[in-house]
């Protein structure tokens, strides 16, 4: 199993050609969950995410001599633990790889990101039948915390006043989340929804990232093969929005905030002792930082081992 995990990490790190703010999921935070792997007690695994961002655009979204092309990659150790039948804890430990290219110079930042912890309580758990078909529903609600373990450079904000304060490894702030996850399945056809609202606090440099809402809705279908493998192709939408950042408790940052709407398609694969999956997020509509920022499409690959 260790060899499988090492091989997957090497494959993931070799991906460079596929294009995937705190304002749109890049940079210092992404809270997209999607369909969790199947597990009874605990799981541990890895997630890889690849995203791109174009910043310093002109007033009509055109490239300028200051335009930067930014790539945000992360390899994230993640895990889940069910405590009894009603409580669940999820943990995320990211290692970030940020890269920026522009006519004025290039930059690279690689280091530990901000660690996050989320807890859930199962509010609804029902199983029944409609005719001769099984109907299963669950609703989890909870909250979480993100701690400032990633490096934040205040000089970055001063150097790019006309660009989002996004090229960071962390926010230097302790932030909180409100979370909910709902799943309903009619036999093998299911619908999965996740919502997350992130409440940011001001860091010691008197900068506060805007609060952020993330929500996704996915439809999936489970295909069982020889009672050994379960495939779950899925498709849906992902919506993200963020308020504007604030400096010195009162000044809104013009080049911040906005929304993006993406179409999501992927597949989840479950074996007895291993789960893995991938999804591609195609940005269909966006208005980020007043049109001065453009987000590219995104890729996420993950694997996990239940134990």
């Amino acid at each position: 199993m260790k060899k499988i995990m090492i091989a997957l990490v090497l494959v993931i790190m070799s991906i460079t050609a596929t294009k995937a703010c705190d304002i749109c999921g890049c940079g210092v935070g992404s809270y997209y969950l999607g369909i969790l792997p199947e597990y009874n007690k605990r799981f541990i695994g890895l997630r890889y995410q690849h995203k791109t961002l174009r910043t310093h655009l002109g007033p009509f979204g055109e490239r300028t001599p200051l335009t930067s092309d930014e790539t945000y990659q992360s390899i994230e150790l993640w895990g889940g633990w069910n405590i009894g039948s009603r409580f669940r804890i999820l943990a995320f430990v990211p290692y970030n790889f940020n890269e920026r290219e522009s006519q004025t110079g290039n930059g690279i930042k690689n280091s530990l990101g901000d660690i996050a912890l989320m807890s859930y309580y199962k509010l609804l758990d029902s199983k029944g039948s409609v005719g001769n078909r099984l109907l299963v529903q669950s609703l989890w609600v909870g909250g979480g915390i993100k701690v400032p373990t990633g490096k934040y450079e205040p000089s970055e904000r001063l150097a790019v006043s006309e660009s989002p304060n996004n090229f960071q490894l962390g926010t230097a702030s302790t932030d909180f989340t409100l979370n909910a996850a709902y799943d309903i399945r009619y036999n093998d056809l299911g619908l999965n929804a996740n919502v997350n609202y992130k409440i940011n606090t001001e860091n010691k440099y008197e900068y506060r990232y805007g609060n952020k809402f993330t929500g996704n809705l996915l439809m999936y279908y489970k295909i069982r093969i020889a009672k050994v493998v379960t495939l779950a192709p899925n498709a849906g939408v992902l919506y993200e929005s963020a308020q504007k950042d604030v400096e010195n408790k009162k000044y809104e940052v013009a080049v911040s905030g906005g929304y993006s709407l993406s179409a999501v398609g992927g597949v989840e694969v479950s074996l007895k002792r291993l789960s893995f999956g991938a999804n591609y997020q195609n940005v269909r509509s966006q208005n980020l930082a007043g049109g001065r920022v453009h987000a590219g499409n995104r890729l996420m690959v993950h694997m996990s081992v239940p134990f």
Side-chain angles (χ1 to χ4, degrees):
M1 190 60 64
K2 290 182 178 179
K3 291 182 179 179
I4 294 174
M5 294 184 72
I6 292 172
L8 182 64
V9 172
L10 293 175
V11 171
I12 285 171
M13 293 183 69
S14 69
I15 300 173
T16 58
T18 306
K19 291 192 175 181
C21 30
D22 207 49
I23 59 177
C24 62
C26 296
V28 291
S30 178
Y31 290 89
Y32 174 82
L33 286 180
I35 301 173
L36 288 176
E38 294 183 358
Y39 68 102
N40 292 322
K41 294 291 185 180
R42 297 169 293 271
F43 80 88
I44 189 168
L46 294 170
R47 296 203 306 177
Y48 167 82
Q49 298 187 64
H50 185 284
K51 309 166 186 178
T52 61
L53 198 66
R54 187 173 299 146
T55 66
H56 245 305
L57 299 176
F60 302 104
E62 73 276 11
R63 294 187 69 97
T64 74
L66 298 177
T67 295
S68 297
D69 292 300
E70 301 174 3
T71 301
Y72 296 89
Q73 300 179 85
S74 68
I75 293 181
E76 189 174 56
L77 179 68
W78 72 320
W81 183 17
N82 287 337
I83 303 173
S85 61
R86 290 285 179 178
F87 293 95
R88 167 178 291 173
I89 296 175
L90 298 176
F92 306 86
V93 183
Y95 193 93
N96 297 329
F97 303 84
N98 299 350
E99 184 176 355
R100 178 168 58 201
E101 297 181 356
S102 69
Q103 295 183 24
T104 58
N106 301 332
I108 295 177
K109 295 180 181 181
N110 302 333
S111 188
L112 178 71
D114 288 343
I115 295 173
L117 192 70
M118 296 181 184
S119 62
Y120 289 85
Y121 173 77
K122 186 185 285 186
L123 197 62
L124 171 67
D125 183 17
S126 70
K127 293 183 180 180
S129 59
V130 178
N132 60 348
R133 301 282 184 168
L134 179 66
L135 182 67
V136 181
Q137 295 184 79
S138 66
L139 173 63
W140 298 80
V141 296
I145 185 170
K146 181 193 71 62
V147 293
T149 50
K151 185 178 180 181
Y152 177 91
E153 297 180 277
S155 59
E156 179 72 33
R157 169 61 187 152
L158 298 175
V160 289
S161 59
E162 296 303 320
S163 186
N165 186 19
N166 204 59
F167 199 69
Q168 303 281 3
L169 296 166
T171 65
S173 61
T174 300
D175 307 322
F176 304 93
T177 61
L178 300 174
N179 320 305
Y182 174 73
D183 190 273
I184 181 169
R185 180 165 54 88
Y186 179 65
N187 223 37
D188 292 324
L189 180 65
L191 189 68
N192 179 273
N194 280 279
V195 292
N196 171 278
Y197 186 71
K198 183 164 171 273
I199 304 167
N200 295 317
T201 66
E202 185 180 70
N203 63 27
K204 63 181 179 180
Y205 305 103
E206 298 186 309
Y207 193 94
R208 182 176 67 83
Y209 287 92
N211 292 347
K212 178 181 175 184
F213 172 83
T214 302
N216 69 268
L217 185 67
L218 296 173
M219 182 170 286
Y220 63 89
Y221 188 81
K222 291 192 173 185
I223 304 170
R224 294 172 174 82
I225 303 175
K227 299 182 179 180
V228 176
V229 180
T230 300
L231 301 179
N234 57 83
V237 294
L238 167 65
Y239 177 77
E240 297 174 287
S241 67
Q243 300 172 2
K244 288 188 178 296
D245 301 349
V246 176
E247 289 185 291
N248 301 315
K249 295 183 174 63
K250 59 181 178 180
Y251 300 110
E252 283 192 346
V253 178
V255 188
S256 65
Y259 79 90
S260 67
L261 178 66
S262 302
V264 181
V267 63
E268 303 295 318
V269 182
S270 297
L271 306 173
K272 185 176 181 181
R273 296 295 300 167
L274 176 68
S275 295
F276 58 93
N279 70 64
Y280 187 72
Q281 301 166 19
N282 178 243
V283 182
R284 307 300 301 171
S285 177
Q286 59 180 293
N287 184 0
L288 303 171
R292 299 299 182 100
V293 172
H294 186 273
N297 299 330
R298 313 177 212 173
L299 173 72
M300 185 176 78
V301 180
H302 69 85
M303 67 161 295
S304 63
V305 178
F307 64 98

